[in-house]
């Protein structure tokens, strides 16, 4: 905690990683500021040192990797996710979910994918689609570069704000042609944070579910990967009303400790987990059918 | 009762600005980024204050240790409540409950020894910049002994409840019966009695500009100037003088542009006098800007109503009983608690029932204090009555519109004496309901509703009525019914209007300029309106209760007429014609004989030819006038009742909602209002007022809520949790006018500032309950969050969520 | 390797004027605009990025200045509400439309509403009401109920398409 924090703007990723490693627990990484500044302004956080990674060219750009992934630099803002032709064509689920993020245009213009993910905020909109897409993340800590599934990062709270690691890139396999997708977000009103959300991917074969990915967010302090439960219920079946109801029940049952906050009380959140899951699956199936 | 001036209700003969969508510089400044709000002012040597607040709802203060703050570089002063109390007296109540037979708590600027709500000021730190002040404030150590808190109405009225105010024998600050006729007999002969409990939650006006006070000490004259977000500069000056022990004449209050107020910037707040004290002690300017977290402490509106309606089998409302309780939070010098009084006084709203038995109980609790909030309790009257009427219609099988129309005060009954003593000036309530229903396409929506739900989404239609007494005056308080304006014409013919009323950003200076332009027969561009400065403006009471155009416009019109008479006398002398021969329009005096004089030439002559053509007048071209609405009555009638309002604006609201039965989400599909604010001065400004109030109502009905945990800690601390309507939440509003002019005000004005909060909220609740009819449930607990609606549909009452 | 700095030199062109400023780490762009450059047309409403009253344009995109840290903008082109008027002191077409239609009452939210409308209309010259609502989603207005704001944005769209209606 400091009234007079210090500031560094490293020019290279290596410099930034070295600096952060040398600062032990006192350094805080900042880029767009959309996640960090509210806490600083309210006096909740008072970092000793800001490490501004906004100047790191290594963290910019949306590219195709040699192995055919879409590589999204950590400094990519929501606005780019919404409009980038590659993301729109190859990861339409992500492009769409980015439009549903809160804060309006002003925040979409500055909020980065890296900041959104490291915040590990259960109500945010970028992690659910990426987890459904089985994305990987790449991060740097000291001299070490680590690549791991996003799921592993989300399971480990040490990568949140204040850690010495820098998230550098998100890697996602392009969505296959004909894959149905949907992002369903339930919020109490226009300005409210999400009360429940679901990202769904579905592959149909002759009108029946052949494969499914389903992630539910904003209902518990961690995202819920409901893919296995969904697959057990749905694979080989048509997604009709009966299957939808069964899915809703199964997903709600996965919410062991629902959040209870300004976005709504626990019992309702638990029920809504099922509702958004069912609706997301229905929309994804409809889209797959059209494709 | 003052005499009625028959000329007041007439429109001026010339001009033509009134009634038009005129725009002036006042409306241009913010668009150009040129409006200056309180926090935009800084002065040489500026210091900044930060306040340490209690994290507990009720506690004894064992020790305040300021040493940590004093060690921070840049800190010039740190004080606790005990030290502040040595310099400052208690804050006079804006509306003292004792004046009306209630109990008056002594309200200090900061807590001394004992804390009575979460967020109460405990210590203050002054430093060279805001960041340092806040940082140092976080270094103040306070030791508390936490005591059990009184949070709910039920807590407060429990026989063994702790006393919120030490020395009080209970937690009631005021209990008032509003009784008329023989309600017991009416209930005994009624065919039906319908009971409804309506719970209105705590919500708040939350202007986007928070409060700010910047006090400047002038050593040369030992005087203070307070720049700040003040709706009522002159009355605030009086309060500061009392608290600081200084003469009013050495205090100036200057309220620059205000970024929305809605009652929250009426005074009594501790920071007003605190900042003045700090500037006086330090001989330097001291500024405090409220954080949003601090602003969210200010609550309002929380009430519980237990209503009983007695009805005949034909649907006549025979009697009304309502036991209601207001949770006004900790005692405060602000006028918030008085909202509860108005809720009772406005019963039974637009309905002609005479036998009433209403009891208002205003309670203090250990929640943070209220301040006034747009609607000022009248919104709660509308909510309680309109929800109860719909409940009766549902249970007894009446059409909700027909039930209302059958029971309204009829249009030919005005002026109408209400059973609580109010004198309604005019209205056509049935006509307004029919207009609102036509505007929304009621019958078409009913037909669509009859087709049944689509994909689990249920249509619901709701109507509601709201009567909004405006322009109030309470005897023995600074809530005055009259106000004053000065009109000056300069030697170059330009016109300056100085008013005792102020604007919180509603546009009333534009309306007042329109009125003066028409009265003076000059172009509106020549007029500038000055408000909000106790040094330059006539003594006035500022902005509240929808009064600013009624009494500000009325007094400006009277002053303009007096100046015009001066100018006509000079012009007639210059032309050698009789005054009756003159015609004045568009800044030209026409002698009727082919000769004319420019307005500026007449003004110049009035100033420079005092011994010939202007000898018939007393220079300068200036007049001050007061408009005192004649129909306010403070001398009690035989039953001890007064009529504190001159004007009774009213409106009908109709809405259509769609309820998603799977989620409980409510979507507004259509909204219409038929609005009676009397004569419309500027349709753009009236639309803005009406739609803004409707947004308040929709926000309150559906989303806005200040929540606490079971220990009394406030959970709602930022706009992440206090969610207000955004553009996408607001349906287009079809606004139609159904004006019946007030015979007792200038041009028939009624006030447009408040109507809409309760009526629109009630219409939404009624529409949701209409949509829920297939499920056999209705909700009377606000807000109608999706969780609450879902819980009602799915029979999960315990799952609706809820907080203290 | 970079040294840790107690203050950061930034070079900004603000409303066309070049400034070199020392800013303290941690301060928001809003604080620096208001306190160091005296550009008080940009307003503080919540300091958490919810209300939009602090909206400015940074390098051509609109942003909430309360949650942009000044020190993270070493070089930037910044436009505030004071920079929307033409050099001749005339209101821009979007501003004029907001004035004509009484898009505001108190005007405190003006930076958010005006900049949101400007960015929307630059991309979507003929927006639907839903697109207008979505463009205004980052800003709160407590006075108007949004009805006149929507109408002002529609009027601005017409004015931008036909700059010389006379």
């Amino acid at each position: 905690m400091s009234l007079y924090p210090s500031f560094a703007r490293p020019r290279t990723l290596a410099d930034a990683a070295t600096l952060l490693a040398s600062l032990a627990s006192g350094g805080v990484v900042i880029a767009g500021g959309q996640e960090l500044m509210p806490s600083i302004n309210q006096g909740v956080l008072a970092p000793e040192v800001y490490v501004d990674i906004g100047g790191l060219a290594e963290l910019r750009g949306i590219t195709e990797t040699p192995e055919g992934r879409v590589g999204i630099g950590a400094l990519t803002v929501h606005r780019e996710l919404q409009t980038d032709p590659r993301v729109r064509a190859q990861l339409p689920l992500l492009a769409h979910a980015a439009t549903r993020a809160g804060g309006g245009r002003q925040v979409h213009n500055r909020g980065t994918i890296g900041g959104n993910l490291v915040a590990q905020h259960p109500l945010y909109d970028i992690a659910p689609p990426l987890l459904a897409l089985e994305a990987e993340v790449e991060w740097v800590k000291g001299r070490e570069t680590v690549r791991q599934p996003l799921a592993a990062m989300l399971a480990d709270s040490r990568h949140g704000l204040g850690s010495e690691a820098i998230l550098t890139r998100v890697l996602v396999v392009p969505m296959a042609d004909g894959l149905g997708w949907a992002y369903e977000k339930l919020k109490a009103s226009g300005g409210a944070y999400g009360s429940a959300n679901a990202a769904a991917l579905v592959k149909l074969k002759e009108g029946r579910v052949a494969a499914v990915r389903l992630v539910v967010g904003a209902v518990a302090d961690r995202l819920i990967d409901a893919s296995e439960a969904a697959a057990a219920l749905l694979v080989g079946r048509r997604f009709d009303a009966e299957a939808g109801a069964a899915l809703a029940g199964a997903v709600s049952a996965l919410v062991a400790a629902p959040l209870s906050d300004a976005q709504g009380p626990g019992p309702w959140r638990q029920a809504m987990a099922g509702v958004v899951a069912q609706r997301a699956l229905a929309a994804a199936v409809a889209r797959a059918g059209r494709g | 009762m003052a005499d009625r001036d028959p000329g007041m209700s007439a429109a001026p003969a010339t001009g033509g600005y009134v009634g038009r969508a005129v725009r002036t510089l006042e409306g241009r400044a913010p668009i150009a980024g040129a409006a200056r709000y309180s926090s935009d002012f800084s002065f040489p040597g500026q210091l900044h204050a930060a306040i340490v607040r209690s994290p507990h709802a009720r506690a004894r203060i064992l020790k305040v240790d300021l040493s940590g703050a004093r060690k921070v570089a840049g800190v010039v002063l740190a004080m606790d409540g005990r030290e502040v109390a040595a310099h400052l007296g208690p804050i006079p109540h804006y509306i003292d409950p004792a004046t009306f037979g209630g109990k008056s708590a002594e309200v200090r600027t900061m807590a001394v020894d004992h804390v009575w709500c979460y967020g109460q000021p405990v210590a203050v730190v002054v430093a060279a910049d805001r960041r340092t002040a806040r940082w140092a404030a976080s270094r103040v150590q306070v030791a508390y002994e936490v005591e059990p808190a009184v949070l709910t109405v039920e807590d407060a009225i429990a026989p063994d409840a702790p006393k919120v105010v030490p020395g009080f024998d209970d937690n009631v600050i005021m209990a008032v019966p509003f009784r008329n006729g023989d309600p017991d007999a009416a209930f005994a002969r009624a065919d039906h009695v319908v009971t409804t409990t309506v719970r209105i939650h705590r919500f708040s006006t939350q202007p986007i500009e928070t409060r700010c006070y910047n006090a400047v000490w002038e050593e040369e004259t030992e005087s203070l100037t307070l720049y700040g977000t003040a709706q009522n500069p002159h009355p605030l000056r009086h309060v500061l003088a009392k608290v600081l022990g200084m003469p009013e004449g050495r205090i100036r209050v200057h309220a620059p542009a205000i970024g929305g107020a809605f009652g929250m910037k009426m005074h009594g707040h501790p920071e007003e006098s605190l900042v003045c004290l700090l500037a006086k002690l330090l001989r330097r300017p001291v500024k405090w800007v409220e954080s949003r977290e601090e602003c969210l402490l200010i609550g309002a509106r929380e009430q519980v109503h237990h209503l009983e309606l007695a009805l005949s089998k034909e649907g006549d409302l025979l009697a009304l009983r309502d036991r209601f309780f207001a949770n006004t939070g900790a005692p405060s010098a602000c006028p918030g608690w008085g909202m509860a009084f108005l809720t009772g006084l406005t019963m039974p709203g637009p309905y002609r029932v005479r036998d009433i038995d209403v009891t208002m109980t205003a309670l203090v609790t250990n929640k943070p204090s209220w301040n006034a909030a747009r609607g000022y309790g009248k919104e709660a009257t509308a909510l309680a009555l309109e929800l109860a009427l719909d409940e009766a219609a549902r249970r007894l099988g009446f059409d909700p519109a027909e039930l209302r129309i059958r029971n309204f005060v009829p249009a030919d009954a005005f002026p109408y004496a209400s059973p609580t003593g109010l004198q309604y000036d005019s209205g056509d309530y049935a006509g307004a309901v029919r207009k609102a229903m036509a505007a929304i396409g009621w019958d078409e929506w009913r037909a669509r509703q009859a087709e049944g739900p689509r994909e689990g989404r249920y249509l619901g239609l709701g109507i509601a009525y709201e009567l909004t007494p405006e322009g109030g005056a309470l005897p023995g308080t600074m809530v005055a019914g009259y106000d004053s304006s000065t009109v000056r014409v300069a030697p170059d013919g330009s016109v300056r209007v100085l008013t005792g009323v102020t604007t919180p950003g509603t546009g009333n200076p534009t309306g007042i300029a329109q009125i003066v332009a028409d009265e003076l027969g000059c172009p509106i561009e020549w007029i500038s309106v000055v408000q909000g400065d106790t040094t330059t403006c006539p003594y006035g009471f500022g902005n509240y209760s929808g009064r600013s155009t009624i009494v500000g416009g009325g007094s400006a019109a009277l002053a303009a007429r007096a100046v015009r008479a001066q100018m006509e006398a000079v012009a007639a002398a210059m032309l050698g014609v009789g005054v009756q021969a003159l015609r004045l329009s568009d800044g030209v005096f026409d002698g009727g004989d082919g000769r004319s004089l420019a307005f500026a030439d007449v003004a110049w002559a009035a100033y420079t030819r005092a011994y010939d053509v202007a000898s018939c007048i007393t220079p300068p071209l200036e007049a001050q006038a007061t408009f005192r609405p004649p129909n306010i009555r403070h001398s009690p009638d035989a039953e001890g009742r007064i009529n504190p309002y001159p004007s009774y604006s009213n409106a009908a609201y109709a809405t259509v909602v769609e309820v998603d039965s799977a989620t409980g989400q409510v979507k507004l599909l259509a909204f219409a209002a038929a609005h009676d604010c009397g004569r419309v001065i500027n349709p753009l400004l009236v639309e803005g007022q009406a739609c803004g109030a409707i947004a308040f109502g929709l926000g309150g009905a559906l989303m806005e809520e200040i929540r606490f945990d079971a220990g009394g800690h406030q959970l709602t601390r930022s706009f992440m949790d206090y969610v207000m309507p955004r553009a996408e939440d607001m349906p287009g509003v079809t606004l139609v006018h159904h004006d019946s002019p007030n015979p007792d005000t200038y041009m028939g004005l009624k006030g447009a500032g408040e109507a809409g909060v309760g009526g629109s909220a009630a219409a939404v609740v009624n529409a949701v309950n209409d949509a829920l009819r297939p499920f056999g449930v209705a909700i009377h607990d606000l807000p109608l969050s999706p969780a609450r609606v879902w819980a009602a549909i799915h029979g999960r009452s315990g799952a609706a969520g809820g907080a203290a | 390797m970079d040294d840790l700095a107690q203050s950061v030199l930034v070079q900004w062109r603000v409303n066309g004027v070049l400034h070199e400023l020392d800013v303290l780490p941690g301060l928001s762009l809003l604080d620096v605009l208001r306190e160091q450059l005296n550009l008080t047309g940009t307003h503080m409403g919540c300091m958490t990025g919810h209300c939009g009253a602090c909206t400015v344009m940074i390098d051509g995109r609109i942003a909430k200045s309360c949650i942009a840290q000044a020190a993270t903008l070493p070089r930037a082109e910044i436009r505030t509400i004071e920079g929307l008027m033409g050099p001749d002191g005339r209101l821009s077409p979007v501003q004029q439309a907001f004035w004509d239609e009484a898009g505001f009452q108190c005007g405190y939210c003006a930076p958010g509403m005006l900049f949101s409308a400007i960015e929307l209309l630059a991309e979507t010259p003929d927006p639907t009401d839903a697109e207008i609502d979505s463009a205004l989603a980052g800003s709160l207005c407590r006075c108007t109920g949004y009805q006149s704001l929507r109408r002002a944005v529609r009027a601005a769209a017409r004015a931008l398409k036909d700059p010389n209606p006379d």
Side-chain angles (χ1 to χ4, degrees), chain A residues 4-11 19 30 32-34 37-38 41-42 49-50 52 79 103-106 109-110 193, chain C residues 1-6 8 25-26 47-48 50 55 61-64 66-67 69 71-72 74 116 119 123 138-139:
Chain A
Y4 294 106
S6 47
F7 190 90
R9 187 176 167 90
R11 274 172 289 252
L19 175 62
I30 186 165
Q34 309 297 283
M37 287 299 286
N41 292 335
Q42 290 179 298
V49 181
Y50 294 99
D52 177 10
R79 169 83 195 161
R105 286 177 161 265
Q106 296 99 313
N109 283 339
R110 285 192 68 75
Y193 285 62
Chain C
M1 189 63 236
D2 299 75
D3 290 329
L4 294 181
Q6 298 300 309
V8 177
M47 293 307 279
T48 53
H50 291 96
T55 300
R61 305 293 315 180
I62 66 171
K64 292 177 177 174
C66 77
I67 52 171
Q69 186 169 145
T72 67
S116 297
E119 191 170 276
E123 294 167 1
S139 299

Side-chain angles (χ1 to χ4, degrees), chain C residues 58-143:
Chain C
I58 304 174
D59 295 329
R61 305 293 315 180
I62 66 171
K64 292 177 177 174
S65 64
C66 77
I67 52 171
Q69 186 169 145
T72 67
L73 301 166
R75 283 168 186 276
E77 180 89 28
I78 293 166
R79 222 167 147 208
T80 70
I81 187 170
E82 289 93 342
L84 291 182
M85 277 196 296
D88 54 357
R90 286 175 60 157
L91 298 179
S92 68
V94 175
Q95 288 174 301
Q96 185 68 42
F98 274 76
W99 189 25
D100 291 343
E101 298 295 339
F104 305 117
Q105 289 172 35
C106 81
Y108 201 77
C109 70
M113 298 302 172
L114 286 170
F115 277 113
S116 297
I118 287 166
E119 191 170 276
L120 168 72
L121 296 175
E123 294 167 1
T124 313
D126 200 6
T128 62
D129 277 4
E131 286 168 327
I132 293 172
D133 288 353
S134 167
L136 302 182
S139 299
L140 278 168
C141 168
R142 225 27 194 159
C143 295

Side-chain angles (χ1 to χ4, degrees), chain B residues 167-186:
Chain B
F168 276 19
D169 53 3
D170 57 22
N171 291 315
V172 177
I173 46 169
M174 192 158 155
V176 183
F178 298 90
R179 200 179 160 92
N180 189 69
D182 189 350
D184 298 336

Side-chain angles (χ1 to χ4, degrees), chain B residues 21 23-25 27-28 30-33 35-37 39-40 130-131 204-210 258-260 262 289-292 374 504-506 684-685 687-689 691-693 695-696 704 718-720 722 724-728 730-735, chain C residues 24-27 31 34-35 38 40-48 50-51 53 64 81-82 84-85 89-91 95-96 98-110 114 132-134 136-148 150-151:
Chain B
R23 309 299 295 135
T24 66
L25 282 182
R28 182 183 184 273
I31 289 159
R36 292 191 80 195
Y37 302 88
S39 63
D40 299 343
R130 199 173 70 238
R131 193 158 69 146
S204 176
T205 57
Q206 295 303 308
I208 307 301
E209 181 205 32
T210 59
I258 292 184
F262 318 112
V289 181
E290 184 183 48
S291 70
R292 181 55 60 185
R374 183 188 214 171
T506 55
L684 279 177
L685 301 179
E687 181 207 42
Q689 288 296 300
C691 292
F696 266 52
E704 297 177 32
S718 77
F719 281 168
M720 177 178 175
Y722 194 79
M724 296 174 286
R726 305 252 165 185
E728 69 185 88
M730 284 298 295
V733 173
T734 306
L735 182 67
Chain C
L24 290 175
L27 285 185
D31 285 334
R34 288 180 58 85
E35 286 160 25
N38 201 30
T40 56
T42 308
H43 298 143
M44 189 285 283
C46 66
M47 293 307 279
T48 53
H50 291 96
C51 80
K64 292 177 177 174
I81 187 170
E82 289 93 342
L84 291 182
M85 277 196 296
R90 286 175 60 157
L91 298 179
Q95 288 174 301
Q96 185 68 42
F98 274 76
W99 189 25
D100 291 343
E101 298 295 339
F104 305 117
Q105 289 172 35
C106 81
Y108 201 77
C109 70
L114 286 170
I132 293 172
D133 288 353
S134 167
L136 302 182
S139 299
L140 278 168
C141 168
R142 225 27 194 159
C143 295
T144 61
Y146 302 99
Q147 181 126 320
S148 61
R150 257 182 226 139
R151 195 173 54 225

Side-chain angles (χ1 to χ4, degrees), chain B residues 17 24 70 184 330 337 401 563 596 706:
Chain B
Y17 291 105
T24 66
R70 289 181 173 138
D184 298 336
W337 76 271
V563 174
S596 63
I706 296 175

Side-chain angles (χ1 to χ4, degrees), chain A residues 100-183:
Chain A
R100 303 300 315 276
R105 286 177 161 265
Q106 296 99 313
V107 171
H108 295 176
N109 283 339
R110 285 192 68 75
T112 65
I113 189 171
N116 188 298
L117 292 177
V118 297
Q120 300 220 13
H121 199 299
L123 306 183
Y124 287 179
D125 298 284
I126 297 300
L130 285 175
L131 189 55
L133 290 162
E134 297 174 276
E136 294 178 297
V137 291
E138 197 175 80
W139 44 273
V140 169
K141 182 177 173 183
R143 293 163 184 273
E144 183 190 16
T145 298
V146 176
R147 180 164 160 180
Q148 66 174 188
L150 173 65
M153 177 190 136
L154 294 176
D156 179 357
S157 62
R158 282 179 306 145
H159 295 288
L161 291 170
S163 87
E164 60 270 44
I166 300 172
L167 182 73
T168 53
R169 219 159 45 133
V170 180
L171 298 153
V172 200
V173 177
M175 289 163 59
D177 286 344
L179 194 63
W181 58 270
Y183 182 66

